Amino acid sequence: MHHSAPDNPLYLRFLQGRQDQPPIHKWHHYFEVYHQAFAPFRGRPVTMLEIGVQRGGSLRMWQDYLGPQARIFGMDIDPATEAHGLPGAKVFVGDQADPDFLRAALAEMGPPDIVLDDGGHTARQQITTFDVLYPAMRLPGAYLIEDTHTAFWGGPFADDPQGRSIYDVAFGVCQRLHEWTGRAGSMDRLGIPPGERGAADAVSDLCRTTESVSFFDSMILFRRGERAEPWHEVR
């Protein structure tokens, strides 16, 4: 049984292209989500950051998939992974739960178009990384967190000082998507053609720059993009 489409180039590479390559450890069903999230960036001069490098196999997979114009950076807490850095990029070695380390990596790398968080998978790591990196991304962009099933494991994975999991943060972003339409008093305004309204109502940057939040088994995908005020009408 195939868990991804047989013509998915990432999945084909995972299944068939492993000879003489560093190993890659992935759930099979992830490849459909990867292709859906990252296909629009193929062949473009994009910057990707993968958190969690292990033996470097997936860094090479992303380079092959996105193309020679893409810069593929890595991030890992293990100093040995620094040796897996790709030409024109590098592996940042440090703790993804350290905001200062994340900001220093951003300063060196520049704003990413794609972030894939396959790091330590604790609540504090996932939440801190999202809080720092997500607002710094380019538009459009894709921020994908994987192995989010650890949010249900408890124990050392439940280490956020406020008791949150990454799902609490993601649900909060879902709420922010509705800052325009969630105000009952705004419905009349949102029925006026956009060019006749004047300046848009103030909303948070999260609302204005997040197109969608998608949930999959063990994955959360945030799509970034510039949003305009919604418009409803009767025709």
Side-chain angles (χ1 to χ4, degrees):
M1 175 183 174
H2 287 292
H3 289 77
S4 292
D7 60 348
N8 180 331
L10 275 170
Y11 194 51
L12 286 173
R13 190 183 191 281
F14 178 66
L15 291 176
Q16 302 169 0
R18 306 308 316 137
Q19 295 82 8
D20 302 319
Q21 295 286 330
I24 298 173
H25 180 201
K26 296 290 184 184
W27 292 91
H28 283 245
H29 69 275
Y30 281 8
F31 289 88
E32 277 304 288
V33 183
Y34 291 152
H35 194 37
Q36 174 185 327
F38 303 152
F41 300 93
R42 298 183 76 189
R44 294 173 47 197
V46 296
T47 297
M48 176 179 183
L49 173 64
E50 181 177 43
I51 304 164
V53 171
Q54 291 185 317
R55 287 157 287 189
S58 56
L59 291 176
R60 287 155 180 79
M61 179 180 73
W62 298 125
Q63 187 76 76
D64 289 349
Y65 177 73
L66 292 171
Q69 296 186 78
R71 296 188 308 153
I72 314 296
F73 289 87
M75 181 177 287
D76 204 288
I77 201 166
D78 181 0
T81 61
E82 194 170 14
H84 301 313
L86 300 179
K90 65 179 290 185
V91 173
F92 298 101
V93 175
D95 182 359
Q96 71 176 109
D98 178 357
D100 291 335
F101 165 66
L102 294 171
R103 284 190 281 266
L106 275 174
E108 186 170 345
M109 173 181 59
D113 303 270
I114 299 170
V115 174
L116 175 61
D117 184 355
D118 182 23
H121 309 315
T122 76
R124 193 163 63 92
Q125 289 170 325
Q126 291 170 336
I127 292 170
T128 302
T129 304
F130 180 82
D131 286 347
V132 174
L133 296 185
Y134 187 74
M137 293 180 72
R138 289 196 184 98
L139 306 176
Y143 191 107
L144 182 60
I145 308 172
E146 62 182 65
D147 295 348
T148 54
H149 50 255
T150 59
F152 306 104
W153 287 2
F157 294 95
D159 62 349
D160 177 64
Q162 300 176 45
R164 300 170 298 168
S165 80
I166 191 61
Y167 285 100
D168 295 304
V169 172
F171 294 155
V173 177
C174 289
Q175 291 176 303
R176 292 287 185 92
L177 294 181
H178 300 84
E179 288 180 9
W180 281 304
T181 55
R183 303 166 180 164
S186 295
M187 294 306 290
D188 288 345
R189 171 187 169 80
L190 299 179
I192 300 171
E196 301 172 17
R197 294 180 195 170
D201 282 346
V203 295
S204 67
D205 284 343
L206 268 176
C207 176
R208 189 178 50 79
T209 62
T210 303
E211 293 180 347
S212 64
V213 185
S214 302
F215 296 89
F216 308 87
D217 180 356
S218 305
M219 302 178 103
I220 306 173
L221 170 62
F222 302 83
R223 291 188 183 275
R224 281 181 63 78
E226 193 73 41
R227 293 180 63 205
E229 275 191 320
W231 179 20
H232 68 89
E233 66 170 334
V234 177
R235 290 202 177 201

